[in-house]
């Protein structure tokens, strides 16, 4: 009895110790597993479609050279190619995005819960940054110009701002087939239903009226 308890304890400690490796997308167990988006079976990722039915189109996307419309509140537009857009990415642990920025456009502070991002500026220049976790919350920033590359570590709040009068374009690679996005302002102030203004007023140390004002924007 005691021995099996010790075994269980050791087994769970080993599982815990190896869990950082599981923080990334799991490795593939076959050449590919093209997503079958017609399946109603829920697994971690997507069910594979029959390999005999796989076509080149499953690994293909066209038109990433086309500028996107940046006429919106923040002045940026993200075109994300994840496993939903390119079914062949399923189980491969990678995705990419084109980001268009209007002059003074912002990709607002956000988190990718499942991916590190590496970004290349193709056009224009960007002021980019990320904030380290508690307790330091150190802001690390850099001005990027065409050809510059910057890394945003997994799970950290980051942003990109086009501080120029010309448009900017960047290409990002992300270390998950489904990086996920949590836009901080939208999540905190625009949740449905809203987080109580008592809670946010206390968390931010401001009057409830200020919280109501901000919540009204979302
Ligand atoms: C499934 O994927 C194909 C190819 O990407 C796409 O055209 C289709 O709209 C998707 N269907 C659903 C239900 O998501
Ligand atoms: C991004 O651009 C596409 C095509 O230009 C447009 O259809 C879409 O509405 C834009 N998204 C946002 C958030 O502005
Ligand atoms: C871009 O989006 C805005 C807002 O939705 C719209 O008014 C405008 O016509 C769009 N521009 C183009 C070129 O599609």
């Amino acid at each position: 009895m005691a021995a099996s308890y010790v075994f269980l304890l050791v087994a769970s400690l080993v599982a815990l110790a190896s869990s950082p490796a599981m923080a990334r997308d799991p490795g593939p167990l076959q050449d590919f597993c093209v997503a079958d988006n017609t399946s109603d079976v829920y697994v971690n990722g997507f069910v594979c479609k029959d390999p005999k039915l796989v076509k080149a189109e499953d690994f293909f996307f066209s038109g990433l050279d086309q500028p996107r419309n940046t006429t919106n509140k923040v002045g940026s537009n993200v075109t994300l190619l994840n496993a939903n857009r390119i079914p062949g990415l399923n189980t491969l642990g990678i995705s990419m995005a084109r980001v268009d920025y209007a002059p003074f456009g912002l990709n607002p502070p956000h988190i990718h819960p499942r991916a590190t991002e590496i970004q290349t500026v193709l056009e224009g220049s960007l002021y980019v940054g990320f904030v380290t976790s508690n307790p330091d919350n150190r802001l690390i920033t850099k001005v990027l110009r065409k050809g510059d590359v910057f890394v945003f570590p997994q799970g950290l709040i980051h942003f990109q701002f086009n501080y120029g009068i010309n448009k900017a374009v960047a290409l990002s690679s992300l270390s998950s087939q489904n990086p996920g996005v949590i836009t901080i302002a939208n999540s905190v102030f625009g949740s449905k239903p809203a987080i109580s203004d008592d809670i946010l007023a206390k968390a931010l140390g401001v009057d409830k009226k200020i919280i109501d004002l901000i919540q009204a924007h979302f």
Side-chain angles (χ1 to χ4, degrees):
M1 193 67 182
S4 66
Y5 175 75
V6 167
F7 172 77
L8 269 180
L9 189 68
V10 169
S12 42
L13 282 177
V14 167
L16 267 181
S18 58
S19 66
M22 300 304 289
R24 302 291 187 282
D25 288 10
L29 301 174
Q30 48 216 334
D31 285 353
F32 49 72
C33 166
V34 172
D36 175 3
N37 65 4
T38 62
S39 170
D40 51 13
V41 176
Y42 290 90
V43 295
N44 189 23
F46 296 101
V47 168
C48 313
K49 81 179 198 187
D50 181 346
K52 289 194 286 294
L53 303 177
V54 165
K55 319 177 289 293
E57 278 63 34
D58 292 325
F59 302 94
F60 176 78
F61 181 90
S62 180
L64 208 60
D65 58 325
Q66 295 304 311
R68 264 52 181 184
N69 189 332
T70 53
T71 309
N72 54 46
K73 246 170 51 180
V74 289
S76 71
N77 190 327
V78 179
T79 308
L80 175 67
L81 303 182
N82 59 10
N84 299 67
R85 298 292 289 279
I86 304 183
L89 283 177
N90 189 38
T91 74
L92 297 182
I94 193 169
S95 57
M96 72 181 296
R98 172 190 171 112
V99 193
D100 288 80
Y101 308 85
F104 306 108
L106 172 71
N107 187 6
H110 64 279
I111 291 171
H112 301 297
R114 293 177 288 275
T116 289
E117 173 173 356
I118 180 165
Q119 184 176 58
T120 312
V121 178
L122 300 181
E123 208 180 315
S125 55
L126 295 173
Y127 170 72
V128 304
F130 66 83
V131 180
T132 67
S133 60
N134 301 354
D136 293 352
N137 300 136
R138 182 176 159 212
L139 173 64
I140 295 177
T141 64
K142 185 91 184 141
V143 171
L144 306 181
R145 299 199 164 76
K146 183 175 173 171
D148 290 350
V149 174
F150 198 75
V151 173
F152 304 99
Q154 176 164 355
L156 299 187
I157 293 182
H158 61 283
F159 61 85
Q160 298 110 26
F161 177 64
N162 177 10
Y163 72 126
I165 55 166
N166 299 310
K167 65 177 190 161
V169 182
L171 210 54
S172 287
S173 305
L174 298 118
S175 63
S176 169
Q177 70 171 44
N178 181 23
V181 187
I182 300 169
T183 305
I184 307 305
N186 301 30
S187 304
V188 175
F189 296 105
S191 69
K192 295 169 206 75
I195 300 177
S196 141
D197 53 3
D198 287 314
I199 289 178
L200 291 181
K202 184 148 189 157
L204 275 75
V206 296
D207 196 89
K208 276 204 301 193
K209 284 199 195 76
I210 296 175
I211 301 294
D212 297 343
L213 203 67
I214 301 174
Q215 282 178 331
H217 282 280
F218 291 91

